[in-house]
Structures are given as structure tokens and as C-alpha cells.
Amino acid sequence: VVRAGAAVAALGSLLALLLGVSRTTLAMARDRHLPAPLAAVHPRFHVPHRAALAVGGVVAVLAATVDLRGAVGFSSFGVLTYYAVANASAWTLRRGVAARVVPAVGFAGCLVLAFSLPWTSVALGAAVLGAGVVAYGVRKVWGRRQGDRPGPGGR
């Protein structure tokens, strides 16, 4: 009974993550950071069906080919970094000490948890984030060198 409950809970969590990541993929494709076909929205159901299939495919391949403990650690680092950025953004919404306590505590908590993960997860996560920052910077510079026309990064 406990195993069945754990399986249902894990599948529910996985489904929520897949749907969230597919919508992030849709937004990135619309901003031309990912291939344009991933920005397609199903005409009847109004969901990012191509992005959902792509994300599901990537997750299936990773689940079948890598050590799941490492994948969970890497994923946890990414999610905690994402939440740290969200808390840092929330800091700017309101002025005053009371309105900034929760984002500050949330930001600090996310960083503490992220850097308490196994060092391989932290190193790989930081490397992927760093590669993304470099790729974004290169695309911005490339766009400016094209006569300030919007490059593949859009804005």
C-alpha cells in the first residue's frame, strides 16, 4: 500500500513538473531561445503539445539511460536555483521590511538547500547554468553585431 501511494505521488509530481517545464519550453521557443516548432499550441486543446512531447521524450531517455539519483540531484539544483531567482524577484515587488522577510528567507533557504546537495549535482548544475549564461550573452552580442536587428534571442 505504501509503495502504491509513493508511486502515485511520484507520478503526480512528475506530471506537474512535465507540464510546467513544457510551458517554459513554449515561452522560450516563442522568444526564439529554442526551436520555433516547440512554440506550437494545439488548435483544439490549447496546450503546448509539441513542447510537452519533447520534454516527455527527453525525460524518458534520461530516465532510461542515467543514474536516477544523479538526475534527481541535478533536477533539484535546477529547481532550487529557479526558486531562488523567483524569491529574489519577489524582493523587488514591495518596499518595507515586513514585505521583504519572506523573499529573503526563501532566497537564503533555496541557496542553502541547493548547495547542500551532492557536489556532483551542484557542479553539473552550475556548469549547465554557466553554459546557458554564456550562450545567452553570445546571442545578445551576435544580435547587436547584426545592426541591432533582433537576433535569435529576440529582444
Side-chain angles (χ1 to χ4, degrees), residues 65-135:
T65 59
V66 301
D67 176 30
L68 292 182
R69 291 172 293 183
V72 167
F74 171 75
S75 174
S76 297
F77 183 82
V79 169
L80 287 165
T81 303
Y82 170 80
Y83 287 153
V85 170
N87 277 290
S89 299
W91 176 272
T92 66
L93 294 178
R94 292 192 177 159
R95 302 279 183 222
V97 175
R100 291 190 170 176
V101 170
V102 172
V105 171
F107 179 76
C110 287
L111 291 182
V112 167
L113 287 173
F115 287 99
S116 67
L117 291 168
W119 72 270
T120 53
S121 299
V122 174
L124 183 59
V128 169
L129 287 173
V133 168
V134 168

